[in-house]
Amino acid sequence: MAFRAVVIGPGRYAPDSGIDSHPSIGASARMYGEVLAADGMWGPDSCRVLGEEDVQTTGGVMKALKEAADETGPNDILLVVYVGHGQYWSDLPGAQVHFSVGSSHQDKPWTWLSSWYVYRVMRKAKARLKVLIADCCYSNLLPQLGEEPLLPGVLGELDEGTCVFTAVKNLNFASADGCSSLPGDLAQCTPFSGHLLRILQNGTKDYNHQLTIGLLREAVKREMERCPAARHQVPRMSLNDARDGTPLFTNRMEPTRRDLAPQLPVAPEEWVRTLMLDRDDRLEELLKDAGKTGDVVALLSAQPDEASRHLASYIDDRANTAFTDPVAFARYWNQVDKVLRV
């Protein structure tokens, strides 16, 4: 297994471009390179941070992306990180998010990089898992990339799926100003990347020795929601067949400072917390109790966030297969139905 990462961070633009140059963009890109190089799962040879010449043009960015994608094999993980400006023009054919490059101009869409080209290269890579981290405005619209009925999901159909992690969820605009609550060089990064990088740099108190997709999502969300310096926007993660329990990074917190491995969850609320981090973690144990499974699905279904509802649907699918006995299925569905009817 090999890990391949490309970090794209165009932070400087021509004075007449109408696009603000932000030092935080370049600082974030450099920090991603440093943090990934120091991660035992990745290492210095796995990550390429594109230089200013590479990010100057769409051709330079796409050339680097294709080189990295072509190097991946069926057991590999491909990570693409974009930090910069995003724009969305609804009056273009197949409206889609565009990423800025160094030569972009504010009102000239043809000078920007279409995210669809990035997705195409990632789809064609042989890697078993493909992850896109997008820290830019309009990243919340990335799943809306035009009609492609022959290409299911966000980045295509894979053995382990895809993950798109974006700086914004409910609003279109992402802040590029540094967050004063972050220490050292992280304070010079954008808020989303700064908080994400702190998680990668310091780890979490979770007992796992690796940061899974689910752990990363919940940790960054918690960090940004509790930040004392500012009220940050909530990030978004969109999964297509990727498992919450797939490991992405090393949990770099000292083992002695981590929580002990938990006992088997008891209350529905405890099951929800466990399964939100890894939807398959101990799910077979939960499915042994039809009534409790119903309680968990009902609790998740009542939540307003997308991730909870997707997890509820996933467990419901498993329950429909597991509870073939009419009595067990009735016990399960009665618990779900009580909440849905409220």
Side-chain angles (χ1 to χ4, degrees):
M1 178 193 299
F3 293 76
R4 306 283 182 188
V6 178
V7 181
I8 310 157
R12 296 178 60 182
Y13 303 85
D16 64 346
S17 66
I19 302 176
D20 293 331
S21 297
H22 291 290
S24 60
I25 293 174
S28 299
R30 289 190 297 273
M31 283 297 294
Y32 276 111
E34 293 176 13
V35 171
L36 289 175
D39 188 313
M41 292 176 62
W42 291 80
D45 296 329
S46 65
C47 178
R48 178 181 176 185
V49 180
L50 302 191
E52 190 166 349
E53 182 177 345
D54 296 317
V55 300
Q56 186 65 21
T57 64
T58 59
V61 172
M62 292 308 300
K63 180 176 181 293
L65 283 180
K66 189 174 187 310
E67 288 173 352
D70 287 348
E71 291 176 353
T72 62
N75 294 319
D76 299 343
I77 292 178
L78 174 63
L79 168 65
V80 176
V81 180
Y82 176 82
V83 189
H85 291 277
Q87 187 58 268
Y88 183 85
W89 285 280
S90 60
D91 58 345
L92 297 179
Q96 59 201 239
V97 177
H98 285 67
F99 300 129
S100 67
V101 295
S103 57
S104 295
H105 281 66
Q106 181 64 39
D107 297 320
K108 298 178 180 179
W110 57 90
T111 65
W112 294 57
L113 172 61
S114 167
S115 58
W116 196 242
Y117 294 136
V118 175
Y119 275 45
R120 184 177 188 273
V121 167
M122 295 183 73
R123 283 199 308 269
K124 288 183 173 295
K126 295 179 181 178
R128 63 180 174 85
L129 175 66
K130 303 168 187 183
V131 180
L132 172 64
I133 296 176
D135 185 359
C136 63
C137 294
Y138 295 99
S139 56
N140 55 313
L141 300 181
L142 272 172
Q144 303 173 17
L145 291 171
E147 296 182 3
E148 281 291 338
L150 300 179
L151 296 170
V154 178
L155 292 176
E157 188 173 25
L158 304 160
D159 291 338
E160 292 238 6
T162 64
C163 170
V164 179
F165 197 15
T166 67
V168 289
K169 176 180 180 180
N170 300 318
L171 299 176
N172 294 333
F173 301 103
S175 173
D177 297 328
C179 180
S180 60
S181 75
L182 293 169
D185 292 339
L186 294 176
Q188 309 304 315
C189 299
T190 66
F192 172 68
S193 287
H195 284 284
L196 191 159
L197 286 162
R198 178 154 76 168
I199 297 297
L200 299 186
Q201 203 171 53
N202 298 342
T204 75
K205 296 192 69 176
D206 190 88
Y207 66 94
N208 283 290
H209 67 282
Q210 294 174 321
L211 292 179
T212 63
I213 289 176
L215 280 175
L216 180 65
R217 178 190 63 235
E218 296 304 309
V220 175
K221 179 182 176 183
R222 185 168 56 247
E223 269 255 333
M224 299 190 75
E225 287 178 338
R226 297 178 181 178
C227 179
R231 185 177 180 180
H232 298 303
Q233 293 192 49
V234 177
R236 180 182 187 183
M237 182 176 284
S238 176
L239 302 180
N240 176 38
D241 292 330
R243 296 185 303 108
D244 282 346
T246 300
L248 277 183
F249 306 101
T250 303
N251 185 357
R252 296 172 66 182
M253 181 167 285
E254 289 292 330
T256 55
R257 297 180 57 198
R258 297 183 208 156
D259 296 333
L260 297 175
Q263 300 296 318
L264 194 68
V266 178
E269 294 79 7
E270 295 173 341
W271 275 107
V272 166
R273 286 194 293 272
T274 297
L275 296 173
M276 283 296 289
L277 296 177
D278 182 352
R279 68 183 187 180
D280 293 312
D281 186 18
R282 307 185 180 189
L283 181 55
E284 292 299 329
E285 291 295 326
L286 175 63
L287 291 171
K288 293 177 181 179
D289 188 326
K292 186 162 290 185
T293 303
D295 289 334
V296 172
V297 171
L299 186 59
L300 286 165
S301 299
Q303 301 304 310
D305 62 288
E306 184 180 19
S308 295
R309 294 195 299 272
H310 283 173
L311 179 57
S313 177
Y314 177 75
I315 299 174
D316 180 60
D317 288 341
R318 293 288 300 274
N320 288 329
T321 301
F323 303 135
T324 55
D325 177 71
V327 174
F329 183 80
R331 189 180 305 120
Y332 162 73
W333 184 247
N334 284 340
Q335 297 303 109
V336 177
D337 193 45
K338 281 193 300 185
V339 172
L340 295 180
R341 284 190 284 107
V342 175

